[in-house]
Amino acid sequence: QVQLVESGGGSVQAGGSLRLSCVASGYTYSGTCKGWFRQAPGKEREGVAVIYTSGGSTNYADSVKGRFTISQDNAKNTLYLQMNSLKPEDTAIYYCAAAHCPQLALAFVSASKELIEALSYWGQGTQVTVSS
């Protein structure tokens, strides 16, 4: 079992920054990858960014490219999401997720609701609110 706990959400004005953290505990094997997803009111959950254990390569949603940066500190078992130049449309609950790497990659690229919901492990979410 893997437990994920997010923190760092809050309320900021447009143009501001936040850094989200996700601490993982429990057993994770080398083929586990992690990512950030978000869900705005009335919308489906969507992928924001993922990071792959092999080489640390990353992938971002087009809407956040150039503004958000995903990273991880393996020594601290912590995943981060640095969010800069925030926009009101970034307002959502942000979730950390972990899964077998191919599963996570497919869910992210396909943006399939079913594949996203089937990811193995989820945190409880942290609210990010961006005001104009």
Side-chain angles (χ1 to χ4, degrees), residues 34-39 44-52 57-70 81-85 87 89-90 92 94-95 104-105 107-112 116:
K34 300 182 183 71
W36 291 97
F37 292 74
R38 68 185 181 185
Q39 188 166 16
E44 300 295 338
R45 194 168 297 190
E46 63 177 3
V48 176
V50 295
I51 186 166
Y52 301 108
S57 61
T58 58
N59 200 2
Y60 295 90
D62 288 342
S63 59
V64 306
K65 281 181 181 176
R67 300 188 298 121
F68 291 11
T69 303
I70 188 172
L81 184 68
Q82 178 66 44
M83 305 186 295
N84 298 327
S85 302
K87 303 176 180 180
E89 51 264 43
D90 294 318
Y94 284 71
Y95 298 90
L104 184 68
F108 185 86
V109 172
S110 70
S112 162
I116 289 173

Side-chain angles (χ1 to χ4, degrees), residues 22-26 28-35 51-57 70-80 101:
C22 172
V23 178
S25 60
T28 56
Y29 72 104
S30 61
T32 300
C33 290
K34 300 182 183 71
I51 186 166
Y52 301 108
T53 53
S54 177
S57 61
I70 188 172
S71 62
Q72 61 185 359
D73 184 333
N74 292 327
K76 296 182 179 180
N77 291 324
T78 302
L79 180 73
Y80 300 101
C101 293

Side-chain angles (χ1 to χ4, degrees), residues 7-13 15-21 67-69 80-86 90 92 94 126-130:
S7 62
S11 297
V12 296
Q13 290 192 327
S17 299
L18 285 172
R19 188 176 82 155
L20 306 183
S21 299
R67 300 188 298 121
F68 291 11
T69 303
Y80 300 101
L81 184 68
Q82 178 66 44
M83 305 186 295
N84 298 327
S85 302
L86 283 161
D90 294 318
Y94 284 71
T126 185
Q127 176 71 49
V128 172
T129 303
V130 185

